[in-house]
Amino acid sequence: MSLPARVRVTRPPLPLAPALRSAAARLCLTEPLPELPAAALAIAGGAVIGAHLRWAGGAAAAVETGWRGRGIEEALAREVGEGA
């Protein structure tokens, strides 16, 4: 499945920049975020709309409600190496 035209999935450099870290924590309801060895973000129109985070002993993933079911979840999981 291809992603919507305005969406891009990326693996940003770690540690995450403060604005990206805040957006990822908001989506995944994980505050404070532990040290992340892997993270993927979905971005549309300059805003973070999805995140898949992995750390030692845990993981969290979320996509904003209006974007769910469009292949973004699977793309995020692939990007952090968790398959889909």
Side-chain angles (χ1 to χ4, degrees):
M1 174 182 261
S2 63
L3 294 173
R6 335 179 338 198
V7 176
R8 98 184 136 84
V9 172
T10 184
R11 254 187 111 162
L14 298 174
L16 291 175
L20 296 179
R21 187 173 183 83
S22 176
R26 174 187 54 82
L27 279 168
C28 293
L29 302 176
T30 306
E31 190 62 54
L33 283 178
E35 190 67 31
L36 300 172
L41 302 175
I43 300 170
V48 176
I49 59 152
H52 191 121
L53 312 173
R54 191 178 56 199
W55 58 87
V63 174
E64 286 187 0
T65 305
W67 292 97
R68 292 182 188 152
R70 299 182 184 193
I72 298 168
E73 296 92 337
E74 295 85 359
L76 287 166
R78 272 194 308 273
E79 209 48 46
V80 294
E82 293 194 0

